[in-house]
Amino acid sequence: MKSYLPGAVGVSRLSVYDTTAPDGLHGGTPHMHLTCSEGYVVIAGEGHVQTLSGEGYRETPLKPGTVAWFRPGTIHRLVNENGLQLVVLMQNAGLPEAGDAVLTFPVDVLGDPDRYTAAATLPGGPDPGPAYRRRDLAVTGFLAMRAAGPKAFTEFCRAAAAIVAPKLGDWRRRWETGPLEVALETGRQLDALEKSDVAHLAGGGIEVLAKPTESGKHGMCGLLETYIPVSD
C-alpha cells in the first residue's frame, strides 16, 4: 500500500509564474478541481487568487501568513504581484496527479476531446514556453466565461464533467486504496481503543522526506517542488 502523508494529503511548494498573461497580469493557469479541495499557505511574496464559483467572482489577497482554501467546483487563478510563493495542500493525494483539474480553455476547445488533450498536455523538459501558452489559452477562456455570467460557468461545469468522465473508474480505485483507506484506518483505531486495545500504537514512528521528490517542474500555476511518498 502506498505510504501517504498524514490524511492522504498532497504537499508541494509553488513559485508562481511571473510572466505576463493576455490581460497584463502575471501568474498561473485558471482551472477547476472536480473532487479535491485545495489550500494555500503563503510563505513569501504577495499576490492574490481570483476565484469563480457558484458564489460568483472574487479576488482574495495573499501575503505571508495567509491561509486560504476552496472546495471542488471553484475555478482559481493565482496572480503574482511580487515573488509569490506558497505551500500547496491537496486533498485526495493521487487524484490531482490523475487528472482532477480541468483548464478553462475557450468553449470550442473544451467541446473537442482531442483538442482539449492536445492543449492541456505539456511535452516535458525545461522549456517553459508550452506551459505559458497553455496558461494564456486558459486565461483567454476564463476571461470570456467571467464576462458571460453564471450560465457560462454552469456550461463549463458540464463540459468539465464530460472531460473527466473516462477517468472516473481509475479515480475511484485511487480513492479507495488511498484517502478512503486512511479514513477507515482511523475508524479501526477508534474501535480498538474502545476495547482498550492499544496494539496499533506499537506501529508509531517518524517518516521523513529530506528533499522534494521533484524540483523545477512546470505546473499549471508555476514551478513546483513536489513531495511524493514512495511505496512501501
Side-chain angles (χ1 to χ4, degrees):
M1 173 178 159
K2 191 175 181 65
S3 176
Y4 286 93
L5 291 166
V9 170
V11 177
S12 59
R13 177 170 175 159
L14 174 65
S15 298
V16 181
Y17 290 135
D18 59 3
T19 54
T20 306
D23 59 353
L25 299 178
H26 302 162
T29 306
H31 61 282
M32 172 193 284
H33 298 290
L34 280 72
T35 65
C36 297
S37 294
E38 181 173 359
Y40 299 149
V41 181
V42 183
I43 58 175
E46 294 181 343
H48 64 273
V49 59
Q50 299 179 339
T51 55
L52 183 63
S53 67
E55 297 177 344
Y57 176 73
R58 291 182 59 180
E59 293 189 0
T60 301
L62 300 174
K63 59 183 180 180
T66 299
V67 176
W69 65 93
F70 35 84
R71 300 178 297 277
T74 305
I75 296 171
H76 47 288
R77 176 199 184 190
L78 282 166
V79 176
N80 186 355
E81 296 167 353
N82 181 23
L84 184 61
Q85 294 185 32
L86 315 170
V87 171
V88 180
L89 308 175
M90 289 294 312
Q91 182 190 17
N92 297 329
L95 292 191
E97 294 81 2
D100 180 27
V102 175
L103 286 70
T104 57
F105 293 146
V107 293
D108 58 326
V109 179
L110 285 171
D112 185 323
D114 293 335
R115 290 183 65 191
Y116 178 87
T117 300
T121 303
L122 297 182
D127 180 12
Y132 297 156
R133 288 190 291 272
R134 180 177 71 173
R135 184 269 314 273
D136 292 350
L137 184 63
V139 168
T140 299
F142 174 71
L143 295 174
M145 186 195 322
R146 195 175 79 189
K151 182 178 179 182
F153 173 77
T154 300
E155 291 172 349
F156 172 81
C157 291
R158 293 196 181 102
I163 287 170
V164 304
K167 304 175 184 178
L168 295 181
D170 176 60
W171 288 9
R172 182 172 293 278
R173 179 187 60 78
R174 290 171 180 263
W175 169 71
E176 289 175 343
T177 59
L180 177 60
E181 177 59 26
V182 169
L184 292 175
E185 179 62 19
T186 299
R188 290 191 287 267
Q189 292 166 355
L190 290 169
D191 292 342
L193 291 172
E194 288 177 347
K195 301 173 184 176
S196 299
D197 179 356
V198 297
H200 68 280
L201 299 180
I206 184 170
E207 297 183 42
V208 176
L209 296 173
K211 61 182 181 179
T213 313
E214 294 180 294
S215 295
K217 179 181 178 180
H218 292 288
M220 285 179 286
C221 296
L223 290 176
L224 287 168
E225 294 182 347
T226 57
Y227 294 81
I228 304 173
V230 298
S231 298
D232 290 335

